[in-house]
Every structure is written in structure tokens, then in C-alpha cells.
Amino acid sequence: MELIGPDDGPGRVLVLSAPVGEGHVAAARALAARMRALWPRAVVREVESTGSTARDASLARSYAVTMRWAPGLYGAAYDVLLHAPRAAAPFKAVSASRVGHDLAPLVDEEHPDLVVSTYPMTTGGLAWLRRHGRLPGRSVAVVTDMAVHPYWAWRDVDETWTLLESSRDQALAVAPGADVRVAPAAVDVRFTPRDRDGARADLGLPRDGFTVLVSGGSLGFGEVDHVVDAVLAAGGPVTPVRVVVLCGRNERLRGALQARGLPPGTLRALGWTDRVPDLIAASDVVLTTAGGVIATEALAVGRPVVFAAPVAGHGRAGARLAEDAGLALVCPRPADVTATVTRLATDPAVAAPLAARAAEFGVRDLDAALRELAARVRVG
């Protein structure tokens, strides 16, 4: 393959996401930032919308309400899509048509050489535009979850990037003949291996003990309070366990945890913060009830991941694939969380293989993948 320089990227790039959960947007921002650094001559535009502000608001609201008050309903719908992809076909067609129509003016205006989507519905819109001859340049779908449901995979998109070989198999089952590639995770450059003691010193955390970072995603989904109880129950006089909780935008959760009155050396509840890379680096293990991007960010830093009572739908589906790949442990019940944290804190042989697999996952080079993509755009 002919080598290309940093200035030989695409001329115009469009990066699409949607404000439905923070993970899709975070991945899009990370990709756009890396593209700008690699291709300084490129015009890279980010758009966080499916093409309709009313639809965006409705999707964000319905997702948040369903996950908070009826997660079982969301999980049932997700499982139907995951295990019966043919049943999703008519719904995919309608969604793709509507989103495609709404994205058409943007695509016509930008006329991109490359368009990247990190949200499944916008990817469907791109597939519809390609089928109707209205999508110039190369299109890439970047899957931000470990598991791939039918809305993620579209044969008319030029490339689909998945995180695992098993994810690739899922995508090909949905869209036979599609170009599906296992690619590095789309995470910010700050998520990189770093010295644990140095990170703790920067954050004002004690260097001793076993630190567990707990996350319920940007909205604090899942039974985070029960997970915190389970983690605290693993502590002992020899190896004290410390819990740092990322509450995201869930101020109710943060307030409830702070109201316990535990010392910050035992429990620290944080609201929205831009120091997540430092917090992951300072931790011994990352527990998540939501999965998604926080798991890939932890792996990029080289920290073991535990899915603790993962939320229905993408949380459980992704947890299963990550565990099968040796990248995580899954704890369905609080008692499992306590037992697992105890083993991780007291037996290095338990954490070592997880840390090794995390290091293998994190060393994959996203910049190199983007350079190779630029070459394919140029050839196309």
C-alpha cells in the first residue's frame, strides 16, 4: 500500500451522531478530533442530529424515560431485534427513509468525500441515500457498542467498524455481504495507559487500597446504589475498598449517595466531569451498569472491566460478548459483585488476565485505522 502523509486525508468529512445517550456523541467527537489532527487540510464537520430536531428530542426523551422507568420493555424490544433481525426489516426501511430524507439537504450542502456515522438511525439514513444515488464519497458506520443489533448493520454502507470478531459476525448475519471490519475503539486520545499512583495523586486519592470506579452511563442508569452497596461490602481491614461513582447527569443519584455521609476516602460521588480519563487511570477496576463507551474507554486505559447488573438490552448483550472475549467479567446480582470485587482486590491472578486482554484491546491504533481509511477514500 502506498504510504500517505498527514495532509493527504479527505477534503471534506462529515461526522454524524445523535444526542441519545452520551456514548454516540463522545465517539463522534473523538473521531473528529483525531481526523483534524491527522488531516489538517481537511474540513471536518460534526453534526449531532438525525436531521430533525423534533425527532432528536423525542428519541432522547423516550430513551431516558424508558430506561429509567421501564427498562424491561426496552430490553424485550432490543432482544427481539437482536434475535429476530428479519422482524426489524420493515421498521428499518421506514426509519431509513425518513432519516435519509431529512439528512439529504445536509449531505447536498457538504458534498463530503467521507461521511462517518456513530448512531444506527443516521447510518440507516446514509444507506437510504446511497441506494437512491444521493450519497457522494465513502460512508462508514462506527459501532460504539460491543453487540450489534439490526439497526447498526446496513449493506449499502461502504464499511462497518465493529469492536470484536463476534460483533463482526453479528453484523454479517444481519447484512450478508457487507464490508465489516474489526477496528479500534473510537475514544478520545486522553484514554491511554497511565501510571495509577500518579493519577491518584493528581486526583487527591489515597495511593493505598483498592479503588473501584462505578458508572451508570451519562444518565446514571441501572441499580447503581445497590451496586455501590455490593462493592462496599467487599472491603476489609487488609485491603480496604474505595468507591468512586460517576453519576453523570443524575443529580438525584449523586445526592442520595452523598447523603450517606461516608468519608470521601470510602465513597466519592461525582457529577458530570471531564476527568474521566484520570479517574479510570486511578482505578483498579471499572464497574459499569450501562456498558457502551465507558467500557471501551476503560479497556483503552488498560483497566479491567466488570459489568455489574448490566441494564437490559445493549448492556446485557454487550456484556456477554465482552466476557466471551475475555475482556470483562459479568455479575448479574449484587452478591456476585461483592464476590468478584473481593477476588480482584485480594488475588492478583484474577485481575492479571483481564488487564492483559485490556492492554491488547487498548493498543489497537485508531490513527492507523484512519490513515488506512483515507487511502481507501482516495482510491475510491
Side-chain angles (χ1 to χ4, degrees), residues 196-247:
R196 182 180 288 107
D197 287 345
R200 289 183 181 179
D202 288 346
L203 292 166
L205 292 171
R207 292 191 177 186
D208 65 337
F210 191 82
T211 298
V212 180
L213 183 66
V214 175
S215 171
S218 62
L219 298 175
F221 287 142
E223 299 178 352
V224 176
D225 52 344
H226 297 307
V227 169
V228 169
D229 289 335
V231 175
L232 290 173
V238 177
T239 306
V241 171
R242 178 181 308 106
V243 186
V244 179
V245 186
L246 297 175
C247 301

Side-chain angles (χ1 to χ4, degrees), residues 39-254:
W39 311 325
R41 296 180 183 175
V43 177
V44 181
R45 180 179 176 188
E46 299 170 63
V47 176
E48 299 170 5
S49 174
T50 61
S52 165
T53 54
R55 182 193 299 115
D56 297 340
S58 177
L59 287 170
R61 183 170 54 252
S62 61
Y63 175 71
V65 169
T66 303
M67 290 301 292
R68 187 172 302 281
W69 303 109
L73 180 62
Y74 171 82
Y78 184 100
D79 290 343
V80 168
L81 290 176
L82 190 65
H83 300 296
R86 290 185 179 180
F91 301 101
K92 285 180 64 175
V94 171
S95 170
S97 174
R98 292 177 176 174
V99 175
H101 274 103
D102 290 337
L103 288 176
L106 172 66
V107 171
D108 290 343
E109 175 188 353
E110 292 295 318
H111 203 79
D113 302 295
L114 170 66
V115 57
V116 178
S117 169
T118 64
Y119 184 63
M121 289 185 69
T122 55
T123 301
L126 297 180
W128 184 90
L129 289 168
R130 173 55 52 80
R131 285 196 302 273
H132 289 79
R134 301 183 63 182
L135 182 63
R138 193 168 189 86
S139 56
V140 180
V142 175
V143 180
T144 57
D145 291 339
M146 296 287 184
V148 179
H149 64 72
Y151 273 77
W152 273 118
W154 305 80
R155 195 179 328 188
D156 296 293
V157 172
D158 294 305
E159 299 180 23
T160 299
W161 290 10
T162 66
L163 293 168
L164 304 170
E165 286 288 349
S166 53
S167 308
R168 180 178 184 270
D169 293 341
Q170 286 183 330
L172 287 172
V174 173
D179 183 351
V180 184
R181 304 164 185 249
V182 178
V187 298
D188 189 279
V189 292
R190 296 177 301 154
F191 292 97
T192 188
R194 181 185 168 195
D195 174 68
R196 182 180 288 107
D197 287 345
R200 289 183 181 179
D202 288 346
L203 292 166
L205 292 171
R207 292 191 177 186
D208 65 337
F210 191 82
T211 298
V212 180
L213 183 66
V214 175
S215 171
S218 62
L219 298 175
F221 287 142
E223 299 178 352
V224 176
D225 52 344
H226 297 307
V227 169
V228 169
D229 289 335
V231 175
L232 290 173
V238 177
T239 306
V241 171
R242 178 181 308 106
V243 186
V244 179
V245 186
L246 297 175
C247 301
R249 294 188 169 89
N250 191 334
E251 285 300 316
R252 180 189 304 177
L253 172 64
R254 183 186 182 195

Side-chain angles (χ1 to χ4, degrees), residues 34 183-185 360-372:
R34 286 176 181 256
E360 292 175 8
F361 183 93
V363 78
R364 296 189 295 184
D365 191 343
L366 180 59
D367 288 348
L370 290 172
R371 291 190 184 99
E372 292 172 2

